Amino acid sequence: MLDRVTQTDNTAPDPIHPTAEIHPTAIVAPGARIGAGCRIGPWCTVGPDAVLAEGVVLTSHVIVEGHAEIGEKVQVSPFATIGLAPQDLKYRGEPTRVVIGARTMIREHATVHRGSIGGHGITTVGADCLLMVNAHVGHDCTLDHHVILANNVMLGGHVEIADTVFVGGGAAIHQFVRIGRQVVVGGMSGVEADIIPFGAVMGNRARLTGLNLIGLKRRGFPRSQIHTLRAAYRSLFRTAGVFQDRVDITEASFGEDPVVQEILAFIRADSRRGLCRAGRELLDEEEGAEAAA
């Protein structure tokens, strides 16, 4: 049974909304702010700098620590942790942050660490994301909206993931990797380089296998634009010559298409990890997949 409880600090207005429900075994530190309709279940721990927006549900045995901001209607399953210190030996307890967007679901044993002074000082998970069982989001990562991390996905520090990306179970993403929007990463892949928007990768070490054609079709991209994207992809990754020359040729041929321009801008942006390319052993497989599509 959930009860309404108050904090012990009587010198300041009660920051727990009257409609919040907190189990008697939960510990909510003085200073934490708990929004309307929140439900904090058995054996949860909420630290003094945490902010829970309206309708947040901490099912049971959840730890929220540090400067953590959790958006509206976020649901957190048992034994997940949010805002614990980064796994960075240079960290000395600085007041870094973690922010979780609205309606995101964080499943059992998932971990989201707060940022570090050596990075952005903040770890961000966007709205409507799903972190499945045992997923790990390292310090200073930035996930945009509608990102799905399947079971046991591991993100090293400083990883950047754009909107509507799916990362398959057991995949490991190297620190500082950038992943463009609407990418699909195959399960058990080891990703050590940046992935262009709309790409599909798999393998250890991961290589481009083509475009995320299924995702493009599901999200309503017109057939004409998909054909343009495929032609641009072949120009970039399936032709001979110096890669920078191929980038320039692709822009001259297809640069008027805004989606192609997005890929070219991603390629030209600063990168610490380089670009994920198509492996030679995958070229014949990719050709067959594109022909079937």
Side-chain angles (χ1 to χ4, degrees):
M1 178 178 180
L2 296 175
D3 297 328
R4 170 72 173 94
V5 301
T6 58
Q7 297 170 316
T8 58
D9 184 1
N10 295 321
T11 64
D14 183 3
I16 300 178
H17 195 276
T19 62
E21 297 179 338
I22 303 175
H23 194 275
T25 60
I27 299 174
V28 178
R33 295 189 301 183
I34 311 299
C38 288
R39 295 174 58 87
I40 300 178
W43 309 108
C44 292
T45 301
V46 180
D49 299 307
V51 179
L52 276 59
E54 179 178 352
V56 169
V57 176
L58 309 183
T59 306
S60 70
H61 298 84
V62 172
I63 296 176
V64 180
E65 189 177 289
H67 293 266
E69 302 174 23
I70 302 181
E72 294 182 359
K73 299 181 179 179
V74 167
Q75 298 184 40
V76 188
S77 295
F79 301 103
T81 66
I82 299 171
L84 269 66
Q87 297 179 126
D88 182 349
L89 295 177
K90 299 184 295 299
Y91 183 71
R92 295 293 182 268
E94 297 90 350
T96 53
R97 304 168 55 210
V98 59
V99 176
I100 309 294
R103 298 173 302 282
T104 283
M105 296 180 64
I106 300 176
R107 296 301 304 265
E108 299 89 322
H109 295 276
T111 54
V112 183
H113 287 175
R114 62 183 182 261
S116 70
I117 290 298
H120 308 299
I122 183 172
T123 302
T124 304
V125 177
D128 301 295
C129 294
L130 171 59
L131 312 185
M132 295 188 192
V133 171
N134 213 44
H136 172 66
V137 178
H139 61 85
D140 302 287
C141 287
T142 301
L143 280 62
D144 286 348
H145 309 309
H146 301 281
V147 172
I148 298 176
L149 306 183
N151 296 348
N152 301 303
V153 166
M154 299 169 285
L155 305 185
H158 312 273
V159 170
E160 300 178 13
I161 301 182
D163 289 342
T164 326
V165 167
F166 175 81
V167 183
I173 315 298
H174 196 286
Q175 58 262 39
F176 294 102
V177 160
R178 300 179 302 136
I179 299 179
R181 71 181 177 111
Q182 299 199 25
V183 161
V184 60
V185 177
M188 304 298 292
S189 293
V191 180
E192 59 184 357
D194 298 346
I195 305 171
I196 60 167
F198 316 105
V201 304
M202 66 179 298
N204 185 15
R205 299 301 193 204
R207 294 290 182 264
L208 277 169
T209 61
L211 295 170
N212 181 12
L213 296 175
I214 294 175
L216 289 167
K217 292 173 183 177
R218 285 177 176 173
R219 293 177 181 90
F221 279 70
R223 180 176 293 272
S224 60
Q225 189 165 56
I226 292 175
H227 285 319
T228 300
L229 274 173
R230 290 171 64 183
Y233 176 85
R234 287 192 292 269
S235 175
L236 286 167
F237 298 105
R238 297 297 307 278
T239 57
V242 177
F243 184 68
Q244 184 55 56
D245 293 341
R246 285 181 271 156
V247 171
D248 295 338
I249 292 169
T250 302
E251 182 167 39
S253 301
F254 308 104
E256 293 183 359
D257 186 286
V259 179
V260 174
Q261 194 58 245
E262 180 180 344
I263 294 174
L264 296 175
F266 182 93
I267 291 171
R268 288 171 169 156
D270 291 338
S271 171
R272 296 183 61 165
R273 297 300 308 167
L275 201 64
C276 190
R277 308 289 183 90
R280 291 182 179 275
E281 70 278 7
L282 296 173
L283 294 182
D284 292 339
E285 179 181 343
E286 174 197 331
E287 184 72 27
E290 287 196 351

